[in-house]
Amino acid sequence: MIVLFTDYGLHGPYTGQLKAMLLREAPGVPVIDLLADAPAYDPRRSAYLLAAYYGAFPAASVFLCIIDPGVGSARDACVLRADARWFVAPDNGLLAIVSRRSPHQEWWRVTWQPPALSATFHGRDLFAPVAAMIARGQPVPGEVLARQPETGAQWPDDLPEIIYIDRFGNAMTGLRACTLPPGTRLEIAGKTVVRARTFADVAPGEAFWYENANGLVEIAVNRGRADASLGLACGAPVSIARV
Amino acid sequence: MIVLFTDYGLHGPYTGQLKAMLLREAPGVPVIDLLADAPAYDPRRSAYLLAAYYGAFPAASVFLCIIDPGVGSARDACVLRADARWFVAPDNGLLAIVSRRSPHQEWWRVTWQPPALSATFHGRDLFAPVAAMIARGQPVPGEVLARQPETGAQWPDDLPEIIYIDRFGNAMTGLRACTLPPGTRLEIAGKTVVRARTFADVAPGEAFWYENANGLVEIAVNRGRADASLGLACGAPVSIARV
Amino acid sequence: MIVLFTDYGLHGPYTGQLKAMLLREAPGVPVIDLLADAPAYDPRRSAYLLAAYYGAFPAASVFLCIIDPGVGSARDACVLRADARWFVAPDNGLLAIVSRRSPHQEWWRVTWQPPALSATFHGRDLFAPVAAMIARGQPVPGEVLARQPETGAQWPDDLPEIIYIDRFGNAMTGLRACTLPPGTRLEIAGKTVVRARTFADVAPGEAFWYENANGLVEIAVNRGRADASLGLACGAPVSIARV
């Protein structure tokens, strides 16, 4: 299985070209869209999303991860093997959190070059063919790295801010719920929210936080939009409320 | 074929996880997105959409229907067999209109429990595996119900309001066109609109109603947006204009 | 491979019904979404997009192209074979630019009629089955045309205006970059922008134009939105700046 994690969107012409390339280079391998609206140009916030969500996909999955504001510059392409999955991405920190949370990891720098490389669509021209090679079981077309790339090494283990707002207006943070003591109350946008287990546990219109189905702290409003009610946007800081 | 009818959206992380689960549990079964932006948190309006659209899919299709504001509460999961198709959904009325329009129907309450059940993503953890079992030809993992669930039983046969606005700004109602006499004029948002057969039958910029390709009464403006021109939103009431 | 090029969107009920039809009529043939948000009701601008993007797909691909404001009127359905690909579309100029740029071309007028034809969804009822027949290797169900349809014949070879804005706010024009001399500066919305090779070649926040990965002139802002910064919308004219 090849899993797409990008900021390309689905409607425009990017994801379709990616899929056509994968179909040509790895025919018969299923392709699943995990996230097509990762924070645009933002490998840092995307890194925490990827680390939270990859675990829902089976071992041996190949994640094709493209949030690539430096496309066309000298940044490398890299491959990571961690937690029994493969990850292909630009070397901009996008894989830093997946890597940090995995006890064993192997890194490669991609050295393969496609016959034709556009200046701005390395997803199609470079990353997709590399993901297809790995999905077909071929060796990684690159050189083993002795240690992990440095970009992202200084990022925190958990990111106390909003990193993604879903179509319901629920606001995910880069915090894992398992790192917070029971009963933790959070401060967000000047308000304090308590923890609940699920939407139906609070009154309609009430804001709360909960551990979402992939382990992240998420701010929500039962049958309402947390982003609109609380004035949230990506980047808004979250902190633990003092008792 | 498994057909997805949800309010999950396609871009975010929900539909992809659903598809990964279906791929694992029912490999080789095609999965089609019918609607990913059904009215959020709104099983009632969604019920009329589902009843209008399922018929475009072949017999034996399994519809995985998830509009589930009560996720995590005590509501049941149910399975319906009606009109030669299968429907898997939360017991919140989402299947009430499909059921009512089908002369023969069988209902089950799902009793199977997944090994791990998140509090907020039963689509992935519970409904998708059940749909996969049915698509594989296994027996429904639940108990037969003697009569249909009560939620939605009091809803009208046709819903005289806007239930969905598409990307062109066309506004679908919950009314079947076949229930209206020829020449019916409709009142919507203080305006009266006449019936036309198709867009090209009225002048550019003119509002009209027509029977859409799935049998619903739909309000449209030729080469324009009915939602913006007429000030329409989901829930706006529609009535038959007095002559 | 069947490639979808439409203004149907992915979330609503249209693309899913198209895919269900293709699955029934051409089982096993992969279907790829190239563009689901082509300029709505606008075959002219869409024609330049299609001509720029089809080349990323392999020979023998069948393009199912539906931007069809005249649906339900007397306009024909046509099939084009050009540059080793197949194109199925309404006869409204949508294929005019693909055709003009191809040295060899064959045209058919579709004469096949489906058993049931809705007034407003010929994509599902007519165009999709025809695309499926061609993808299965059957003869085109129509009559050969001696010469190409006239709609679009008077459109320019390149269209000097914005024809598509992607989710990053980058604004594509209908101009092929290869038609412009090196060093060309462009005027757009009262501003002059210089050419760059890629995003990373200009400062963050700076506007520029570049040859996008499919050969079109595209206006962008490094790590910003060109549409918002420059006040661009589809239809905005672009011209070559005098030195």
Side-chain angles (χ1 to χ4, degrees):
Chain A
M1 183 187 315
I2 295 171
V3 182
L4 305 187
F5 183 94
T6 77
D7 60 1
Y8 280 171
L10 296 176
H11 285 95
Y14 308 117
T15 295
Q17 293 183 73
L18 220 57
K19 289 182 178 174
M21 180 61 84
L22 294 172
L23 182 63
R24 191 183 85 182
E25 298 295 322
V29 175
V31 177
I32 300 261
D33 297 291
L34 163 55
L35 206 75
D37 64 347
Y41 307 126
D42 194 339
R44 181 166 155 274
R45 289 187 190 123
S46 299
Y48 293 88
L49 278 173
L50 178 62
Y53 280 87
Y54 81 83
F57 296 83
S61 293
V62 179
F63 291 79
L64 175 51
C65 308
I66 315 170
I67 290 94
D68 192 17
V71 64
S73 69
R75 63 100 192 83
D76 283 327
C78 57
V79 174
L80 167 66
R81 180 158 173 79
D83 202 10
R85 280 90 169 174
W86 296 93
F87 300 85
V88 180
D91 175 19
N92 59 17
L94 183 50
L95 306 182
I97 307 303
V98 169
S99 159
R100 194 184 307 174
R101 294 182 187 165
S102 177
H104 302 289
Q105 53 188 267
E106 296 172 89
W107 283 92
W108 291 261
R109 190 177 71 82
V110 172
T111 52
W112 177 80
Q113 286 283 318
L117 181 69
S118 66
T120 53
F121 199 2
H122 291 193
R124 176 192 66 188
D125 301 335
L126 177 64
F127 294 103
V130 169
M133 290 176 206
I134 295 170
R136 285 197 319 253
Q138 290 187 221
V140 176
E143 59 182 21
V144 173
L145 290 178
R147 54 179 199 156
Q148 75 175 85
E150 289 187 6
T151 316
Q154 77 290 8
W155 296 346
D157 285 348
D158 290 83
L159 191 63
E161 58 180 67
I162 303 301
I163 59 171
Y164 183 80
I165 295 179
D166 77 10
R167 73 184 298 270
F168 304 101
N170 301 333
M172 296 180 196
T173 71
L175 296 169
R176 288 167 293 176
C178 63
T179 66
L180 300 182
T184 299
R185 296 183 306 157
L186 292 176
E187 274 194 20
I188 175 85
K191 298 220 172 55
T192 301
V193 291
V194 298
R195 182 171 188 163
R197 195 184 55 91
T198 185
F199 289 70
D201 289 347
V202 304
E206 192 178 332
F208 64 103
W209 77 265
Y210 72 112
E211 176 173 354
N212 80 9
N214 295 74
L216 292 181
V217 168
E218 187 167 314
I219 319 285
V221 166
N222 186 19
R223 307 204 186 192
R225 295 192 63 93
D227 58 347
S229 303
L230 302 173
L232 304 182
C234 264
V238 184
S239 59
I240 297 182
R242 280 167 298 184
V243 185
Chain B
M1 182 187 316
I2 296 171
V3 183
L4 305 187
F5 182 94
T6 76
D7 60 1
Y8 281 170
L10 296 176
H11 284 95
Y14 308 116
T15 295
Q17 292 182 73
L18 221 56
K19 290 181 178 174
M21 180 61 83
L22 294 171
L23 182 64
R24 192 184 83 181
E25 297 295 323
V29 175
V31 177
I32 299 261
D33 297 291
L34 163 54
L35 205 76
D37 65 346
Y41 307 126
D42 194 339
R44 181 166 155 273
R45 290 187 189 123
S46 298
Y48 293 88
L49 278 173
L50 179 61
Y53 279 87
Y54 81 83
F57 296 82
S61 294
V62 180
F63 291 79
L64 176 51
C65 308
I66 315 170
I67 291 91
D68 192 16
V71 64
S73 69
R75 65 99 192 83
D76 283 328
C78 58
V79 174
L80 167 66
R81 179 158 174 80
D83 203 11
R85 282 88 168 176
W86 295 95
F87 300 85
V88 180
D91 175 19
N92 58 17
L94 183 51
L95 306 181
I97 307 305
V98 169
S99 159
R100 193 182 309 173
R101 294 183 187 164
S102 178
H104 303 290
Q105 53 187 267
E106 297 172 89
W107 284 93
W108 291 258
R109 190 177 71 81
V110 172
T111 52
W112 178 80
Q113 286 283 318
L117 180 70
S118 66
T120 53
F121 199 2
H122 291 193
R124 176 192 66 187
D125 300 336
L126 177 65
F127 295 103
V130 169
M133 290 176 206
I134 295 170
R136 284 197 320 252
Q138 290 187 220
V140 176
E143 59 183 20
V144 173
L145 291 178
R147 54 179 199 157
Q148 76 174 83
E150 289 187 5
T151 317
Q154 78 288 12
W155 297 345
D157 285 349
D158 289 83
L159 190 64
E161 57 180 66
I162 303 302
I163 60 171
Y164 183 79
I165 295 179
D166 77 8
R167 72 184 299 269
F168 303 101
N170 301 332
M172 296 179 196
T173 71
L175 296 168
R176 287 167 295 177
C178 64
T179 65
L180 300 182
T184 300
R185 296 183 307 156
L186 293 176
E187 273 193 21
I188 174 87
K191 299 221 172 54
T192 301
V193 293
V194 299
R195 182 173 188 161
R197 196 185 53 91
T198 184
F199 288 72
D201 289 347
V202 304
E206 192 178 333
F208 64 104
W209 77 265
Y210 71 112
E211 176 173 355
N212 81 10
N214 294 73
L216 292 181
V217 167
E218 185 167 316
I219 319 285
V221 166
N222 186 19
R223 305 203 188 195
R225 295 191 64 94
D227 57 348
S229 304
L230 302 173
L232 304 182
C234 264
V238 184
S239 60
I240 297 182
R242 282 166 299 185
V243 185
Chain C
M1 183 186 316
I2 296 172
V3 183
L4 305 187
F5 182 94
T6 77
D7 60 1
Y8 281 172
L10 296 176
H11 284 95
Y14 308 117
T15 295
Q17 292 182 74
L18 221 56
K19 290 182 178 174
M21 180 62 84
L22 294 172
L23 182 64
R24 191 184 84 181
E25 297 295 323
V29 175
V31 177
I32 299 261
D33 298 290
L34 164 54
L35 206 74
D37 65 347
Y41 307 124
D42 195 339
R44 181 166 156 273
R45 288 186 190 124
S46 298
Y48 293 88
L49 277 173
L50 178 61
Y53 279 88
Y54 81 83
F57 296 83
S61 293
V62 180
F63 290 80
L64 176 50
C65 308
I66 314 170
I67 290 93
D68 192 16
V71 65
S73 69
R75 63 101 192 82
D76 283 327
C78 57
V79 174
L80 167 65
R81 180 159 172 81
D83 202 11
R85 280 91 170 175
W86 296 94
F87 300 85
V88 180
D91 175 19
N92 58 17
L94 183 51
L95 305 182
I97 307 304
V98 168
S99 160
R100 194 183 307 174
R101 294 182 186 165
S102 177
H104 303 290
Q105 53 188 267
E106 295 172 271
W107 283 92
W108 292 259
R109 190 177 72 81
V110 173
T111 53
W112 176 80
Q113 286 282 319
L117 181 68
S118 65
T120 53
F121 199 2
H122 291 193
R124 176 192 66 186
D125 299 336
L126 177 65
F127 294 104
V130 169
M133 290 175 206
I134 296 171
R136 287 199 316 254
Q138 289 187 219
V140 176
E143 60 182 21
V144 173
L145 291 177
R147 55 179 196 154
Q148 76 174 85
E150 289 187 6
T151 317
Q154 76 290 10
W155 296 345
D157 286 347
D158 289 82
L159 190 63
E161 58 180 66
I162 304 300
I163 59 172
Y164 183 80
I165 295 179
D166 76 9
R167 71 184 301 268
F168 304 101
N170 301 331
M172 296 180 195
T173 72
L175 296 168
R176 287 167 295 176
C178 64
T179 66
L180 299 182
T184 299
R185 296 183 306 158
L186 293 175
E187 273 193 21
I188 174 85
K191 298 220 171 56
T192 302
V193 292
V194 298
R195 181 174 189 161
R197 194 184 56 89
T198 185
F199 288 72
D201 288 348
V202 305
E206 193 176 331
F208 65 103
W209 76 267
Y210 72 111
E211 176 174 355
N212 80 10
N214 294 74
L216 292 180
V217 168
E218 186 167 314
I219 319 286
V221 165
N222 186 20
R223 306 202 186 195
R225 294 191 64 93
D227 58 348
S229 303
L230 302 172
L232 304 181
C234 263
V238 183
S239 60
I240 297 183
R242 281 166 301 184
V243 184

Coordinates of all heavy atoms in Angstrom, one line a residue, chain B residues 3 6-7 14 17 30 89 91 93 100 104 116 118 175 179 185 192 204 209 214 221 223 231 241:
Chain B
V3 N -19.8 1.5 -1.1 CA -20.1 2.9 -1.4 C -20.1 3.7 -0.1 O -20.8 3.4 0.8 CB -21.5 3.0 -2.1 CG1 -21.7 4.4 -2.6 CG2 -21.5 2.0 -3.3
T6 N -20.8 9.7 3.7 CA -20.4 10.2 4.9 C -20.4 11.8 5.0 O -20.5 12.4 3.9 CB -18.9 9.8 5.3 OG1 -18.0 10.6 4.5 CG2 -18.7 8.3 5.0
D7 N -20.1 12.3 6.1 CA -19.8 13.7 6.3 C -18.3 14.0 6.6 O -18.0 15.0 7.2 CB -20.7 14.4 7.3 CG -20.6 13.8 8.7 OD1 -19.8 12.9 8.9 OD2 -21.3 14.3 9.6
Y14 N -9.9 11.2 7.7 CA -10.9 10.2 8.0 C -11.2 9.2 6.9 O -11.2 8.0 7.2 CB -12.2 11.0 8.5 CG -11.9 12.0 9.5 CD1 -12.1 13.3 9.3 CD2 -11.3 11.6 10.7 CE1 -11.8 14.3 10.3 CE2 -11.0 12.6 11.7 CZ -11.2 13.9 11.5 OH -10.9 14.8 12.4
Q17 N -8.4 6.6 6.3 CA -8.3 5.5 7.3 C -9.5 4.5 7.1 O -9.3 3.3 7.3 CB -8.4 6.1 8.7 CG -7.1 6.9 9.1 CD -7.2 7.5 10.5 OE1 -7.0 6.7 11.4 NE2 -7.4 8.7 10.6
P30 N -14.0 -3.0 -4.8 CA -13.9 -1.6 -5.1 C -14.6 -0.8 -4.1 O -15.6 -1.2 -3.6 CB -14.5 -1.5 -6.5 CG -14.6 -2.9 -7.0 CD -14.6 -3.8 -5.8
A89 N -25.0 1.5 9.2 CA -25.1 2.9 9.7 C -25.4 2.9 11.2 O -25.8 1.9 11.7 CB -26.3 3.6 9.0
D91 N -27.7 3.9 14.3 CA -29.1 3.9 14.4 C -29.6 5.3 14.9 O -29.9 5.5 16.0 CB -29.5 2.8 15.5 CG -31.0 2.9 15.8 OD1 -31.8 3.4 14.9 OD2 -31.4 2.3 16.8
G93 N -31.6 7.2 12.4 CA -32.6 7.6 11.4 C -32.0 7.7 10.0 O -32.8 7.9 9.0
R100 N -38.3 3.0 4.4 CA -39.7 3.3 4.2 C -40.1 3.1 2.8 O -41.2 2.7 2.5 CB -40.0 4.7 4.6 CG -41.5 4.9 4.8 CD -41.9 6.3 5.2 NE -41.1 6.7 6.3 CZ -41.2 8.0 6.8 NH1 -41.9 8.9 6.2 NH2 -40.4 8.3 7.8
H104 N -39.7 -4.6 0.8 CA -39.1 -5.7 1.7 C -37.9 -5.2 2.4 O -37.0 -4.5 1.7 CB -38.8 -6.9 0.9 CG -40.0 -7.4 0.1 ND1 -41.1 -8.0 0.7 CD2 -40.3 -7.4 -1.2 CE1 -42.0 -8.3 -0.2 NE2 -41.6 -7.9 -1.4
A116 N -10.4 -3.1 19.3 CA -10.1 -1.8 19.9 C -11.1 -0.8 19.3 O -11.3 -0.8 18.0 CB -8.7 -1.4 19.5
S118 N -12.2 3.1 19.4 CA -12.0 4.5 19.8 C -13.3 5.1 20.3 O -14.4 4.6 19.9 CB -11.3 5.3 18.7 OG -12.2 5.5 17.7
L175 N -37.6 16.7 -1.6 CA -38.9 16.4 -2.4 C -38.5 15.6 -3.6 O -37.7 16.0 -4.4 CB -39.6 17.7 -2.8 CG -40.1 18.6 -1.8 CD1 -40.5 19.9 -2.5 CD2 -41.3 18.0 -1.1
T179 N -43.6 13.4 -7.1 CA -44.8 13.7 -6.2 C -45.5 15.0 -6.5 O -46.5 15.3 -5.9 CB -44.3 13.7 -4.7 OG1 -43.5 14.9 -4.5 CG2 -43.5 12.5 -4.3
R185 N -45.4 25.3 -9.5 CA -44.5 26.3 -9.2 C -44.1 26.3 -7.8 O -45.0 26.0 -6.9 CB -45.1 27.7 -9.6 CG -45.4 27.8 -11.1 CD -45.9 29.2 -11.4 NE -47.1 29.5 -10.6 CZ -47.5 30.8 -10.3 NH1 -46.8 31.8 -10.8 NH2 -48.5 31.0 -9.6
T192 N -40.9 32.9 -6.5 CA -41.6 31.8 -7.2 C -40.7 31.3 -8.4 O -40.3 32.1 -9.2 CB -43.0 32.2 -7.7 OG1 -43.7 32.7 -6.5 CG2 -43.7 31.1 -8.3
P204 N -29.8 32.5 -19.4 CA -28.7 32.6 -18.4 C -29.1 33.6 -17.3 O -29.7 34.6 -17.6 CB -27.5 33.2 -19.2 CG -27.8 32.7 -20.6 CD -29.3 32.7 -20.8
W209 N -36.8 25.4 -11.2 CA -36.6 24.1 -10.6 C -36.7 23.0 -11.6 O -37.3 23.2 -12.6 CB -37.5 23.9 -9.4 CG -38.9 23.5 -9.7 CD1 -40.0 24.4 -9.8 CD2 -39.5 22.2 -9.8 NE1 -41.1 23.7 -10.0 CE2 -40.8 22.3 -10.0 CE3 -38.9 20.9 -9.8 CZ2 -41.7 21.2 -10.3 CZ3 -39.7 19.8 -10.1 CH2 -41.1 20.0 -10.3
N214 N -31.3 12.3 -10.2 CA -31.7 11.2 -9.3 C -33.1 11.4 -8.7 O -33.4 10.8 -7.7 CB -30.6 11.2 -8.2 CG -29.3 10.8 -8.7 OD1 -28.6 11.6 -9.4 ND2 -28.9 9.5 -8.5
V221 N -29.9 28.0 -11.2 CA -29.9 29.2 -12.0 C -29.0 28.8 -13.2 O -27.9 28.4 -13.0 CB -29.3 30.4 -11.2 CG1 -29.0 31.5 -12.1 CG2 -30.4 30.9 -10.2
R223 N -26.2 28.9 -15.5 CA -24.9 29.5 -15.5 C -24.7 30.5 -14.4 O -24.0 31.5 -14.5 CB -24.6 30.2 -16.9 CG -24.8 29.3 -18.0 CD -24.0 29.7 -19.2 NE -24.4 28.8 -20.3 CZ -23.7 28.6 -21.5 NH1 -22.7 29.4 -21.7 NH2 -24.1 27.8 -22.4
G231 N -30.3 33.4 -2.0 CA -30.0 33.5 -0.6 C -30.4 32.2 0.1 O -31.1 32.2 1.1
A241 N -46.3 26.9 -4.7 CA -46.9 28.2 -4.9 C -48.4 28.1 -5.2 O -48.8 27.2 -6.0 CB -46.2 28.9 -6.0

